[in-house]
Amino acid sequence: GRNSEPSTSSSMLCSSQDYKESEKENMEDKEERLELGKPVSSVELCVRCQTRPKNGCIVHGRTGHLMSCFVCAKKLKKRNKPCPVCRQPIEMIILTYFC
């Protein structure tokens, strides 16, 4: 009777395939934009070197500023420089991943 009706499950399958397909296209679009050198949401370039992504969070107290790459942020810390944004002493640099 009811359990053997395939109509709902097959249409569910189609819609999930469509969804995965459109998700895949979105991923490809983002990769293309990266290759073309256009900014992708949240992937901005380091304000110091302008070549690597901003992924070195400069931590001071319970706050941090994300304005440079990990390499440049580490250099600031090594040279005992203050945070370029707020001038607070840098406690540590955290490598930041965007998900």
Side-chain angles (χ1 to χ4, degrees), residues 21-82:
E21 204 56 45
S22 67
E23 219 176 27
K24 196 173 149 189
E25 284 168 25
N26 288 346
M27 291 291 278
E28 284 165 9
D29 286 352
K30 275 185 182 171
E31 282 167 7
E32 280 172 33
R33 268 183 277 162
L34 268 176
E35 284 165 25
L36 292 170
K38 290 177 186 169
V40 180
S41 61
S42 82
V43 181
E44 293 175 50
L45 292 179
C46 169
V47 297
R48 297 188 76 228
C49 67
Q50 291 289 306
T51 54
R52 291 179 291 267
K54 291 181 183 180
N55 63 359
C57 188
I58 297 166
V59 178
H60 28 63
R62 295 179 64 184
T63 61
H65 283 114
L66 191 58
M67 44 76 68
S68 68
C69 67
F70 187 70
V71 175
C72 288
K74 279 297 228 190
K75 284 180 187 171
L76 287 172
K77 168 90 174 104
K78 192 178 176 184
R79 295 172 186 160
N80 293 314
K81 300 279 187 189

